[in-house]
Amino acid sequence: MFVQRTRVLQISLLAILSAFLVELIFGLISNSLALITDSIHALLDSVVTLVLLLAARWAIKPPDAEHTYGHGKIESLGGLIGGIAIFLIACFFIYESINRLQSPPPSILPGLFALIGGAYTIGIDFFRIILLRRSIKKIGGATLKADFYHAFMDLGSTLVAIVGILLVSYGLYFGDFVAALILGGLLAVLSIKLIYKTALDLTDVISPELVKNVREISTSTEGVINAEPILMRKSGDTIFADVTISLRGDTSFDKAHEISDSVEKNIKSQIPNASTTIHFEPNWEDVPLDAKILDIAKNVDGVKGVHNVSTHKTKGKIYSNLHVMVDREINLSSAHKISEIIEDKIKEQIPDISHSTIHLEPFVTVPKKFNIEDVETEAKIKAILDKYPDIKKIGRIVSLKFENILKIDIDCSFDKNLSIEKVHDLTSEIEQIIRTEIDNSVITIHPEPY
């Protein structure tokens, strides 16, 4: 878009320069002071258009170390300069009109050449107005709007000059001055609007409705609890948005990243010129205590895993229990220090917890690939299982060895009427016996109903 604006401004600049030369030459030939004055006004507009063109060109530059948001603000700055220039010229028109209304009639009467020069400039002004109006509708831009107002002002001033020439020739010496006064007032209003808009862009003022829209898009995305704060600014055509979303505290990092991507895509689909950065923060308000405790414990140094987290309330007090796995090579003193740190952190972050009971377990890394199946070990395990009458059927026994680790998987069937608590006690007992007789074993018993 910036490239297209630059081309439009180049065409506009060449057109207004040609109008300046024609008006100046024809004004000098016909001794028309009004046409000469309008040619100087066209020259000033050429300078302003050149400033707008340079601003549009600089705005094309990509972001760099000093302008991380790009150079789009330069276009707004160019629009501000153009607006101020229009306002000053409009003030000059108003002053000059009032001054001439109080002065004697002019002594120099323009001729046919003045009308021809004015007609050419009117054609140029119409060409610029149509070109710029279509371009604004298609690609927008503060610089194009500033140049459009300049073209409109050029047309008005040229018409005033021609009307003045015609009225003077009929003896109505003050008609053109009144028209110039009205034109100056209108242009002053237009320039103030342009100055106000570009000043808002330069000071990072953003529409509250746009911020509200982004917040609604963010919070309507699945998984997002809240969106606050939302920081937005506009640079050129691009709207930059920094959005902080709140997610459930127990949301995994991968899931949080997935939700963030969804928020960004949803914003982009409704605001195509948005460049969005999403930050996410945990929100623990509606997360169960078990999940909070799990998150606290697993983030303590030295903890290899956490499971069987539970909480219960007795006599108005809340107690927690959890199993924490630590390196099996460390001693009891080091392991206990880890449990003390976990207890302190739980108490600090969840004051409602009166006491935490931590069951320490050795952590054994089970490799994904095993080498040799141990038939002798399987026979030893079967002998242990045969001693339990509650086991109605012994199924698959798989023992796989890897370096100093023995991975044992057991399928066995129990009486279907046994309680799950009884089955759990039996499997825990069997696991302990096997672990006592077979060093470095990692055991999984899968109970089935019989």
Side-chain angles (χ1 to χ4, degrees), residues 257-275:
H257 184 68
E258 179 184 327
I259 294 171
S260 298
D261 283 346
S262 298
V263 173
E264 188 174 350
K265 289 176 183 176
N266 291 342
I267 294 173
K268 190 73 174 177
S269 66
Q270 296 195 38
I271 309 174
N273 60 329
S275 175

Side-chain angles (χ1 to χ4, degrees), residues 233-289:
R233 69 195 299 262
K234 187 177 180 183
S235 181
D237 288 321
T238 306
I239 296 174
F240 294 93
D242 290 336
V243 182
T244 300
I245 58 175
S246 299
L247 310 176
R248 269 186 56 133
D250 56 345
T251 305
S252 68
F253 181 81
D254 287 342
K255 183 63 176 178
H257 184 68
E258 179 184 327
I259 294 171
S260 298
D261 283 346
S262 298
V263 173
E264 188 174 350
K265 289 176 183 176
N266 291 342
I267 294 173
K268 190 73 174 177
S269 66
Q270 296 195 38
I271 309 174
N273 60 329
S275 175
T276 311
T277 302
I278 306 295
H279 312 272
F280 51 82
E281 293 181 350
N283 184 315
W284 293 100
E285 287 184 9
D286 299 319
V287 178
L289 281 179

Side-chain angles (χ1 to χ4, degrees), residues 377-378 380-386 388 391 397-399 406-410 412 426-445:
T377 300
E378 292 176 18
K380 188 185 292 187
I381 293 169
K382 190 174 187 303
I384 294 172
L385 297 176
D386 285 337
Y388 287 86
I391 297 178
I397 300 174
V398 179
S399 59
L406 189 63
K407 176 72 170 67
I408 301 171
D409 292 333
I410 303 169
C412 52
L426 286 171
T427 56
S428 297
E429 182 181 328
I430 294 168
E431 287 176 7
Q432 183 60 38
I433 293 173
I434 296 173
R435 204 176 285 117
T436 301
E437 294 196 15
I438 304 173
D439 294 335
N440 298 327
S441 57
V442 179
I443 306 158
T444 303
I445 297 179

Side-chain angles (χ1 to χ4, degrees), residues 284-348:
W284 293 100
E285 287 184 9
D286 299 319
V287 178
L289 281 179
D290 295 357
K292 294 182 183 180
I293 294 169
L294 175 65
D295 184 75
I296 293 169
K298 74 180 184 180
N299 286 302
V300 172
D301 289 340
V303 173
K304 302 296 184 180
V306 183
H307 63 96
N308 287 16
V309 181
S310 63
T311 56
H312 58 277
K313 193 172 184 178
T314 304
K315 296 179 180 180
K317 295 183 178 181
I318 301 175
Y319 299 88
S320 67
N321 295 276
L322 60 153
H323 291 218
V324 175
M325 293 185 286
V326 296
D327 191 336
R328 67 193 183 114
E329 300 295 335
I330 66 174
N331 58 34
L332 178 59
S333 176
S334 299
H336 186 260
K337 286 180 180 177
I338 293 174
S339 69
E340 286 181 331
I341 293 172
I342 295 172
E343 288 180 33
D344 291 342
K345 285 186 175 292
I346 291 174
K347 187 65 179 175
E348 177 188 346

